[in-house]
Amino acid sequence: MNAAMRLFWAQGYEPTSLSQLKAVMGDLSTASFYAAFSSKEALFREVIDLYLATYGRVTRSLQDQSLPPRQAVEAALRQSARMQSDGEHPRGCFITLGANNCSPENAHVARLLEEVRRRDRAGIEARLMQARAAGEFPLEFDTKPLATVLSTVLAGIAIEARDGRGSADLDAAISQVMTLWPASIA
């Protein structure tokens, strides 16, 4: 399963062929592949779950209510940057890059990853609203634009990492973007 995840992560859903998948999974026969997974899409769905349970844990801080909002968001960004720029696996984010150029007949596959990204955006928005409610910044502060910026940075890390940007550069960029978080008024 790890080999299939790395292949989908490196190439994306559509460019990854059944022949490649069977080869990286121990030269499975076609019959064995379909007996185990029923389809390429079913395997892709399993790979999404595996990624989220392993590498994708980097954004779990967004849901960790024991962390202050700013710390939760910053941790998600920094952990994501470190993971995505690690050379031990395909660079970038599988959730961002795994199915972004699907043909219309596979749009439903792209929506699987879109839903995960939507949850991360919602997590960022929720943490910003929580910070506002806690008095970290003025009640009239509109959290939506900052949530969009932070979500865009989270997604953009995938492109920068895929293009070879290292963790030190990404970390410096995150430090810069975190200055957009309003100074506490509490």
Side-chain angles (χ1 to χ4, degrees):
M1 187 71 70
N2 278 321
M5 177 179 64
R6 288 173 179 260
L7 187 60
F8 279 129
W9 189 352
Q11 296 184 174
Y13 178 76
E14 283 193 353
T16 300
S17 71
L18 183 59
S19 297
Q20 290 173 313
L21 288 166
K22 293 185 313 181
V24 300
M25 297 179 79
D27 288 322
L28 288 176
S29 69
T30 301
S32 294
F33 178 88
Y34 285 114
F37 303 108
S38 76
S39 69
K40 177 180 162 181
E41 181 181 329
L43 173 59
F44 189 75
R45 288 173 183 269
E46 287 189 38
V47 163
I48 292 170
D49 292 340
L50 176 61
Y51 181 87
L52 291 173
T54 56
Y55 299 100
R57 292 179 306 187
V58 295
T59 59
R60 284 193 182 162
S61 63
L62 295 171
Q63 310 307 319
D64 184 349
Q65 295 302 310
S66 71
L67 295 174
R70 180 188 171 105
Q71 184 180 348
V73 171
E74 188 169 1
L77 293 172
R78 292 192 191 281
Q79 291 174 65
S80 186
R82 277 193 300 278
M83 181 279 291
Q84 292 185 53
S85 60
D86 184 349
E88 297 297 314
H89 50 71
R91 294 173 68 93
C93 174
F94 171 65
I95 300 301
T96 301
L97 303 171
N100 58 354
N101 284 329
C102 284
S103 59
E105 58 266 12
N106 285 317
H108 65 285
V109 174
R111 282 192 294 275
L112 296 171
L113 299 182
E114 181 183 327
E115 179 55 36
V116 176
R117 294 190 302 271
R118 189 176 294 118
R119 283 193 307 253
D120 283 345
R121 280 192 298 278
I124 291 169
E125 290 173 6
R127 297 318 296 260
L128 282 165
M129 291 188 306
Q130 182 183 27
R132 183 179 60 196
E136 289 186 32
F137 37 87
L139 288 176
E140 65 274 3
F141 179 79
D142 186 359
T143 59
K144 289 281 187 190
L146 182 54
T148 299
V149 167
L150 294 168
S151 178
T152 300
V153 168
L154 183 60
I157 289 169
I159 301 299
E160 292 296 320
R162 178 67 56 98
D163 287 350
R165 183 83 56 200
S167 62
D169 288 342
L170 294 169
D171 202 52
I174 292 164
S175 292
Q176 184 65 41
V177 81
M178 288 306 296
T179 65
L180 297 173
W181 193 285
S184 176
I185 61 168

